[in-house]
Short mmCIF file of all heavy atoms in Angstrom, two decimals:
data_model
loop_
_atom_site.label_atom_id
_atom_site.label_comp_id
_atom_site.label_asym_id
_atom_site.label_seq_id
_atom_site.Cartn_x
_atom_site.Cartn_y
_atom_site.Cartn_z
N TYR A 28 88.61 89.48 101.80
CA TYR A 28 89.74 90.35 102.10
C TYR A 28 89.28 91.82 102.19
O TYR A 28 88.23 92.16 101.70
CB TYR A 28 90.86 90.24 101.06
CG TYR A 28 90.43 90.73 99.71
CD1 TYR A 28 90.58 92.07 99.33
CD2 TYR A 28 89.89 89.86 98.75
CE1 TYR A 28 90.19 92.49 98.07
CE2 TYR A 28 89.49 90.29 97.52
CZ TYR A 28 89.65 91.61 97.15
OH TYR A 28 89.26 92.06 95.93
N SER A 29 90.12 92.60 102.83
CA SER A 29 89.87 94.01 103.00
C SER A 29 91.20 94.73 102.89
O SER A 29 92.16 94.35 103.52
CB SER A 29 89.22 94.26 104.40
OG SER A 29 89.05 95.62 104.57
N ILE A 30 91.25 95.74 102.04
CA ILE A 30 92.44 96.58 101.86
C ILE A 30 92.04 98.00 102.22
O ILE A 30 91.17 98.59 101.60
CB ILE A 30 92.97 96.52 100.41
CG1 ILE A 30 93.26 95.10 100.00
CG2 ILE A 30 94.22 97.43 100.28
CD1 ILE A 30 93.52 94.92 98.49
N THR A 31 92.66 98.57 103.27
CA THR A 31 92.34 99.91 103.72
C THR A 31 93.59 100.77 103.57
O THR A 31 94.63 100.43 104.11
CB THR A 31 91.89 99.91 105.21
OG1 THR A 31 90.74 99.08 105.32
CG2 THR A 31 91.57 101.30 105.68
N ASN A 32 93.44 101.87 102.89
CA ASN A 32 94.58 102.80 102.70
C ASN A 32 94.68 103.63 103.93
O ASN A 32 93.93 104.57 104.16
CB ASN A 32 94.36 103.67 101.47
CG ASN A 32 95.55 104.60 101.22
OD1 ASN A 32 96.45 104.70 102.03
ND2 ASN A 32 95.50 105.28 100.10
N ARG A 33 95.67 103.34 104.78
CA ARG A 33 95.89 104.08 106.00
C ARG A 33 96.97 105.15 105.86
O ARG A 33 97.40 105.75 106.79
CB ARG A 33 96.24 103.12 107.13
CG ARG A 33 95.05 102.23 107.55
CD ARG A 33 95.39 101.34 108.73
NE ARG A 33 94.24 100.62 109.17
CZ ARG A 33 93.84 99.40 108.74
NH1 ARG A 33 94.53 98.77 107.86
NH2 ARG A 33 92.75 98.87 109.24
N GLY A 34 97.40 105.34 104.60
CA GLY A 34 98.38 106.37 104.30
C GLY A 34 97.76 107.70 104.08
O GLY A 34 96.55 107.89 104.16
N ASP A 35 98.61 108.69 103.76
CA ASP A 35 98.17 110.08 103.58
C ASP A 35 97.70 110.38 102.17
O ASP A 35 96.90 111.30 101.98
CB ASP A 35 99.29 111.06 103.93
CG ASP A 35 99.62 111.00 105.41
OD1 ASP A 35 98.74 110.68 106.22
OD2 ASP A 35 100.79 111.31 105.75
N GLY A 36 98.12 109.62 101.17
CA GLY A 36 97.75 109.89 99.78
C GLY A 36 97.15 108.67 99.11
O GLY A 36 97.16 107.56 99.65
N THR A 37 96.59 108.89 97.92
CA THR A 37 96.03 107.80 97.12
C THR A 37 97.12 106.79 96.78
O THR A 37 98.27 107.16 96.51
CB THR A 37 95.41 108.39 95.83
OG1 THR A 37 94.37 109.29 96.22
CG2 THR A 37 94.84 107.33 94.94
N ALA A 38 96.77 105.52 96.78
CA ALA A 38 97.71 104.46 96.49
C ALA A 38 97.01 103.26 95.84
O ALA A 38 95.83 103.06 96.05
CB ALA A 38 98.43 104.01 97.75
N SER A 39 97.77 102.47 95.09
CA SER A 39 97.30 101.22 94.54
C SER A 39 98.00 100.08 95.25
O SER A 39 99.16 100.22 95.68
CB SER A 39 97.59 101.14 93.02
OG SER A 39 96.79 102.09 92.36
N TYR A 40 97.31 98.96 95.42
CA TYR A 40 97.82 97.84 96.18
C TYR A 40 97.77 96.56 95.29
O TYR A 40 96.83 96.36 94.58
CB TYR A 40 96.98 97.54 97.41
CG TYR A 40 97.06 98.58 98.47
CD1 TYR A 40 96.33 99.78 98.40
CD2 TYR A 40 97.91 98.42 99.56
CE1 TYR A 40 96.44 100.78 99.37
CE2 TYR A 40 98.01 99.38 100.57
CZ TYR A 40 97.27 100.54 100.46
OH TYR A 40 97.36 101.50 101.42
N LEU A 41 98.83 95.75 95.41
CA LEU A 41 98.88 94.42 94.86
C LEU A 41 99.22 93.48 96.01
O LEU A 41 100.26 93.64 96.66
CB LEU A 41 99.95 94.29 93.77
CG LEU A 41 100.15 92.91 93.17
CD1 LEU A 41 98.89 92.41 92.50
CD2 LEU A 41 101.29 92.94 92.20
N VAL A 42 98.32 92.55 96.31
CA VAL A 42 98.48 91.66 97.47
C VAL A 42 98.58 90.23 97.00
O VAL A 42 97.70 89.73 96.29
CB VAL A 42 97.25 91.80 98.39
CG1 VAL A 42 97.37 90.88 99.61
CG2 VAL A 42 97.08 93.27 98.83
N GLY A 43 99.67 89.57 97.35
CA GLY A 43 99.89 88.17 97.00
C GLY A 43 99.31 87.26 98.10
O GLY A 43 99.47 87.52 99.29
N LEU A 44 98.62 86.23 97.70
CA LEU A 44 98.02 85.25 98.63
C LEU A 44 98.60 83.89 98.31
O LEU A 44 98.75 83.50 97.14
CB LEU A 44 96.53 85.22 98.50
CG LEU A 44 95.76 86.54 98.70
CD1 LEU A 44 94.30 86.36 98.40
CD2 LEU A 44 95.98 87.01 100.13
N GLU A 45 98.87 83.10 99.37
CA GLU A 45 99.38 81.74 99.20
C GLU A 45 98.38 80.79 99.88
O GLU A 45 97.96 81.04 101.01
CB GLU A 45 100.76 81.57 99.85
CG GLU A 45 101.83 82.36 99.13
CD GLU A 45 103.21 82.19 99.77
OE1 GLU A 45 103.29 81.95 100.98
OE2 GLU A 45 104.18 82.35 99.03
N TYR A 46 98.11 79.68 99.16
CA TYR A 46 97.22 78.67 99.66
C TYR A 46 98.03 77.49 100.14
O TYR A 46 98.94 77.02 99.45
CB TYR A 46 96.21 78.23 98.58
CG TYR A 46 95.30 79.40 98.21
CD1 TYR A 46 95.61 80.22 97.15
CD2 TYR A 46 94.20 79.69 98.99
CE1 TYR A 46 94.80 81.29 96.83
CE2 TYR A 46 93.39 80.76 98.70
CZ TYR A 46 93.69 81.56 97.63
OH TYR A 46 92.90 82.64 97.33
N LEU A 47 97.71 76.98 101.38
CA LEU A 47 98.49 75.94 102.03
C LEU A 47 97.67 74.70 102.30
O LEU A 47 96.47 74.80 102.53
CB LEU A 47 99.03 76.47 103.34
CG LEU A 47 99.76 77.84 103.27
CD1 LEU A 47 100.06 78.35 104.65
CD2 LEU A 47 101.01 77.75 102.40
N ASP A 48 98.34 73.54 102.35
CA ASP A 48 97.63 72.31 102.72
C ASP A 48 97.66 72.14 104.24
O ASP A 48 98.16 73.01 104.97
CB ASP A 48 98.23 71.09 101.97
CG ASP A 48 99.64 70.76 102.37
OD1 ASP A 48 100.16 71.28 103.41
OD2 ASP A 48 100.28 69.95 101.64
N GLY A 49 97.23 71.00 104.72
CA GLY A 49 97.14 70.75 106.18
C GLY A 49 98.51 70.69 106.85
O GLY A 49 98.62 70.91 108.06
N ASP A 50 99.58 70.44 106.09
CA ASP A 50 100.94 70.42 106.64
C ASP A 50 101.62 71.77 106.55
O ASP A 50 102.79 71.93 106.93
CB ASP A 50 101.81 69.39 105.89
CG ASP A 50 101.34 67.93 106.10
OD1 ASP A 50 100.81 67.67 107.20
OD2 ASP A 50 101.45 67.16 105.16
N GLY A 51 100.91 72.75 105.98
CA GLY A 51 101.52 74.07 105.79
C GLY A 51 102.35 74.22 104.54
O GLY A 51 103.05 75.19 104.35
N ASP A 52 102.29 73.19 103.63
CA ASP A 52 103.01 73.25 102.38
C ASP A 52 102.28 74.09 101.37
O ASP A 52 101.04 74.05 101.31
CB ASP A 52 103.24 71.84 101.83
CG ASP A 52 104.13 70.99 102.76
OD1 ASP A 52 105.04 71.56 103.39
OD2 ASP A 52 103.94 69.77 102.80
N LEU A 53 103.01 74.81 100.54
CA LEU A 53 102.46 75.69 99.54
C LEU A 53 101.80 74.88 98.40
O LEU A 53 102.46 74.02 97.81
CB LEU A 53 103.52 76.61 98.97
CG LEU A 53 103.06 77.58 97.88
CD1 LEU A 53 102.13 78.60 98.49
CD2 LEU A 53 104.27 78.30 97.27
N LEU A 54 100.54 75.16 98.13
CA LEU A 54 99.82 74.51 97.02
C LEU A 54 99.85 75.38 95.79
O LEU A 54 99.92 74.92 94.67
CB LEU A 54 98.40 74.20 97.42
CG LEU A 54 98.21 73.16 98.52
CD1 LEU A 54 96.76 73.11 98.98
CD2 LEU A 54 98.64 71.79 98.01
N GLY A 55 99.72 76.69 95.98
CA GLY A 55 99.66 77.65 94.87
C GLY A 55 99.41 79.05 95.39
O GLY A 55 99.34 79.29 96.58
N SER A 56 99.28 79.98 94.48
CA SER A 56 99.10 81.38 94.86
C SER A 56 98.28 82.16 93.87
O SER A 56 98.09 81.73 92.71
CB SER A 56 100.48 82.03 95.01
OG SER A 56 101.18 81.91 93.78
N THR A 57 97.80 83.30 94.32
CA THR A 57 97.06 84.21 93.47
C THR A 57 97.25 85.61 94.07
O THR A 57 98.08 85.79 94.97
CB THR A 57 95.58 83.85 93.35
OG1 THR A 57 94.97 84.61 92.32
CG2 THR A 57 94.82 84.10 94.67
N GLY A 58 96.54 86.56 93.58
CA GLY A 58 96.66 87.93 94.13
C GLY A 58 95.40 88.72 93.89
O GLY A 58 94.54 88.37 93.09
N VAL A 59 95.28 89.79 94.66
CA VAL A 59 94.18 90.72 94.49
C VAL A 59 94.76 92.13 94.43
O VAL A 59 95.90 92.37 94.86
CB VAL A 59 93.15 90.64 95.64
CG1 VAL A 59 92.46 89.27 95.64
CG2 VAL A 59 93.78 90.90 96.99
N MET A 60 94.01 93.07 93.92
CA MET A 60 94.52 94.42 93.83
C MET A 60 93.40 95.44 94.10
O MET A 60 92.22 95.11 93.98
CB MET A 60 95.17 94.69 92.45
CG MET A 60 94.22 94.69 91.30
SD MET A 60 95.07 95.05 89.76
CE MET A 60 95.72 96.66 90.03
N ALA A 61 93.85 96.60 94.51
CA ALA A 61 92.94 97.75 94.66
C ALA A 61 93.64 98.92 93.97
O ALA A 61 94.77 99.27 94.33
CB ALA A 61 92.72 98.03 96.13
N ASP A 62 92.98 99.50 92.98
CA ASP A 62 93.54 100.62 92.22
C ASP A 62 93.08 101.97 92.77
O ASP A 62 91.92 102.16 93.07
CB ASP A 62 93.08 100.55 90.76
CG ASP A 62 93.90 99.58 89.93
OD1 ASP A 62 95.09 99.40 90.23
OD2 ASP A 62 93.32 98.98 89.00
N LYS A 63 94.03 102.85 92.92
CA LYS A 63 93.78 104.25 93.26
C LYS A 63 92.84 104.39 94.44
O LYS A 63 91.81 105.07 94.36
CB LYS A 63 93.30 105.02 92.04
CG LYS A 63 94.31 105.02 90.93
CD LYS A 63 93.85 105.75 89.70
CE LYS A 63 94.94 105.63 88.64
NZ LYS A 63 94.53 106.11 87.34
N LEU A 64 93.22 103.77 95.55
CA LEU A 64 92.42 103.80 96.76
C LEU A 64 92.80 105.06 97.54
O LEU A 64 93.94 105.27 97.90
CB LEU A 64 92.74 102.53 97.57
CG LEU A 64 91.78 102.12 98.68
CD1 LEU A 64 90.38 101.90 98.16
CD2 LEU A 64 92.32 100.86 99.34
N GLY A 65 91.79 105.90 97.79
CA GLY A 65 92.03 107.16 98.50
C GLY A 65 92.33 106.97 99.97
O GLY A 65 92.05 105.91 100.52
N PRO A 66 92.92 107.95 100.61
CA PRO A 66 93.26 107.85 102.03
C PRO A 66 92.00 107.56 102.87
O PRO A 66 90.97 108.16 102.66
CB PRO A 66 93.81 109.23 102.40
CG PRO A 66 94.20 109.85 101.10
CD PRO A 66 93.30 109.27 100.04
N GLY A 67 92.11 106.56 103.76
CA GLY A 67 90.99 106.21 104.62
C GLY A 67 89.92 105.34 103.91
O GLY A 67 88.98 104.93 104.56
N LYS A 68 90.08 105.06 102.67
CA LYS A 68 89.09 104.25 101.93
C LYS A 68 89.43 102.78 102.02
O LYS A 68 90.61 102.37 102.18
CB LYS A 68 89.05 104.66 100.45
CG LYS A 68 88.69 106.11 100.22
CD LYS A 68 87.25 106.37 100.58
CE LYS A 68 86.92 107.82 100.25
NZ LYS A 68 85.55 108.12 100.49
N THR A 69 88.42 101.92 101.92
CA THR A 69 88.57 100.48 102.00
C THR A 69 87.98 99.79 100.79
O THR A 69 86.88 100.15 100.36
CB THR A 69 87.90 99.94 103.28
OG1 THR A 69 88.54 100.53 104.40
CG2 THR A 69 88.00 98.42 103.37
N SER A 70 88.72 98.86 100.23
CA SER A 70 88.21 98.00 99.16
C SER A 70 88.03 96.62 99.78
O SER A 70 88.98 96.02 100.34
CB SER A 70 89.19 97.95 98.02
OG SER A 70 88.77 97.01 97.03
N LYS A 71 86.79 96.12 99.75
CA LYS A 71 86.48 94.77 100.29
C LYS A 71 86.01 93.88 99.16
O LYS A 71 85.39 94.31 98.20
CB LYS A 71 85.35 94.87 101.30
CG LYS A 71 85.73 95.63 102.57
CD LYS A 71 84.55 95.66 103.55
CE LYS A 71 84.90 96.43 104.77
NZ LYS A 71 83.80 96.38 105.75
#
């Protein structure tokens, strides 16, 4: 994953991810975060 702050100020991100089976049914979920990401910065 890649989280890029395209805003004007520093921001933190919480991103929810869902994992699916072959039929598109939800199996489960998790999340990733980026703390205090400056403008134009990317967390990979």
Side-chain angles (χ1 to χ4, degrees):
Y28 66 88
S29 177
I30 304 169
T31 301
N32 182 353
R33 292 183 173 91
D35 294 332
T37 299
S39 292
Y40 291 81
L41 176 62
V42 179
L44 302 174
E45 292 180 333
Y46 296 95
L47 309 172
D48 67 13
D50 295 327
D52 295 327
L53 180 66
L54 295 170
S56 59
T57 192
V59 296
M60 68 179 299
D62 279 328
K63 299 179 181 171
L64 198 58
K68 301 291 182 176
T69 298
S70 177
K71 295 181 181 184

